Amino acid sequence: MNGPVPRPGVLTIDAYVPGKSSAPEGVKVWKLSSNETPLGASPKAKAAYVAAGEKLALYPEGSSKVLRAAIASRYGLDPARLLCGAGSDELLSLLAYAYLGPGDEALHSEHGFLVYKIVTLAAGATPVAAPETNYTADVDALLAKVTDKTKLVFLANPNNPTGTYLPFDEVKRLHAGLRADILLVLDAAYAEYVRANDYESGLELVATSANVVMCRTFSKIHGLANLRLGWMVGPPAVIEALNRIRGPFNVSGPAMAAGIAAIGDEAHVAAAIAHNDRWLAWLTQELSALGLTVTPSVGNFVMVSFPPEPGRSAGDADAFLTQRGLVLRRIDAYGLPNALRLTVGPEEANQLVVKALKEFLTR
């Protein structure tokens, strides 16, 4: 029986596949595949979420007004220039639907976040990838790919899954090389973890430009991945356009309540940063000492590369680790079949990974 047929291109999109979370039965699982914080959500956020359960029968406030005010207060922003969504993924989709269509192009770096390609194709446009240098976005390569069809440029900074970043001077150089009608989308999902002195999330550039937006998330350092909550700051004209096409109640009341509490719990964020500072450096040092190639990362994860030889490959390592309950992320879909992405986990998990990989490499 024939039925409705999706418009051309939809069924050719490779669906996003989240990091796996399973291991053999009876083995304790350490999920290190999704860049979730090992500290969990703030106790204040949990309490706010539970309290919000008293109003589950009521529609949430439609504009995320109180949440936008909390974000604005934290970062010194105008709440009218903020938009909240069901994770930053929804915001990326809204940008694509608002600014892309058939015949348009959206640009991203070679190993950029997979969602950029997905939302571009979903909008009927063409994704274009620019080569990276040392697994890092290359401004000259990006600018060389710009055509008269380019409408959006997506830049994950820091980048997932490589953990690399562009200094702010390079971000500004990228922006300066774009036409005024091209929207630069700065995806700063991991910004809170970065300690590099030459890094900026992009707030300054957004404040002084008519064609730059910055997306952030509550899924990472704030530990609210299960609630799907993100936010964007941008020029008034962009925010107005997205407000016209977003769902009328796209952020739930419990998510808003938890987000307000989370962004106000600076002690919890500081503890997450301190944990990451310690164990990111430790994992990089210990894994490098095993002879593995670890790409320098400023996020809460590292990309570990393996030789492509049988018995020592990334796939072999993944299978070996999974049998021991250590679940990492295969990143073949990013064009990186010889690497695994490892989230900085709790102390016990970090030590178990290093021990298991030493056993894997010396067996």
Side-chain angles (χ1 to χ4, degrees), residues 47-327:
Y49 174 77
V50 171
E54 295 298 321
K55 299 181 179 180
L56 291 185
L58 307 178
Y59 282 104
E61 189 278 316
S63 73
S64 303
K65 180 179 180 180
V66 180
L67 174 58
R68 287 188 294 112
I71 296 168
S73 176
R74 169 66 180 81
Y75 291 100
L77 302 172
D78 177 0
R81 296 184 62 170
L82 297 176
L83 180 72
C84 296
S88 55
D89 293 344
E90 184 195 19
L91 301 174
L92 296 172
S93 294
L94 290 173
L95 286 165
Y97 297 150
Y99 291 96
L100 296 175
D104 296 330
E105 294 177 350
L107 184 57
H108 61 272
S109 67
E110 180 181 6
H111 303 300
F113 187 35
L114 287 178
V115 168
Y116 307 148
K117 180 179 180 181
I118 293 173
V119 300
T120 298
L121 291 169
T126 301
V128 177
E132 296 181 357
T133 300
N134 297 324
Y135 300 117
T136 305
D138 184 311
V139 170
D140 294 317
L142 285 164
L143 292 176
K145 289 287 187 177
V146 173
T147 71
D148 58 357
K149 298 179 180 180
T150 305
K151 296 295 177 64
L152 285 181
V153 176
F154 292 107
L155 178 68
N157 201 34
N159 185 56
N160 168 33
T162 61
T164 56
Y165 77 101
L166 278 186
F168 192 44
D169 283 348
E170 283 293 277
V171 176
K172 290 189 289 187
R173 188 165 75 85
L174 172 61
H175 174 249
L178 299 176
R179 299 190 311 270
D181 65 321
I182 297 175
L183 182 61
L184 176 59
V185 181
L186 302 177
D187 183 355
Y190 299 92
E192 293 91 349
Y193 290 109
V194 185
R195 304 263 90 30
N197 291 330
D198 57 355
Y199 173 82
E200 294 288 345
S201 65
L203 289 174
E204 173 189 321
L205 199 57
V206 175
T208 57
S209 308
N211 64 334
V212 183
V213 299
M214 183 196 68
C215 297
R216 298 284 281 269
T217 182
F218 282 85
S219 296
K220 304 306 178 185
I221 204 165
H222 293 297
L224 300 182
N226 207 347
L227 289 182
R228 311 312 303 126
L229 185 61
W231 60 276
M232 172 195 296
V233 57
V238 175
I239 299 302
E240 179 187 2
L242 299 192
N243 269 319
R244 291 174 181 268
I245 62 172
R246 69 172 176 85
F249 303 104
N250 64 323
V251 179
S252 73
M256 282 189 265
I260 292 165
I263 205 165
D265 194 345
E266 296 184 12
H268 189 75
V269 172
I273 292 171
H275 178 90
N276 197 67
D277 286 348
R278 176 186 177 188
W279 291 103
L280 177 66
W282 186 87
L283 283 168
T284 301
Q285 177 181 330
E286 294 296 319
L287 294 173
S288 298
L290 295 179
L292 296 169
T293 301
V294 182
T295 300
S297 172
V298 294
N300 69 331
F301 57 91
V302 291
M303 184 175 77
V304 186
S305 296
F306 294 79
E309 61 189 74
R312 291 288 182 269
S313 70
D316 294 319
D318 182 50
F320 185 89
L321 293 168
T322 300
Q323 288 296 315
R324 287 151 182 78
L326 299 163
V327 181

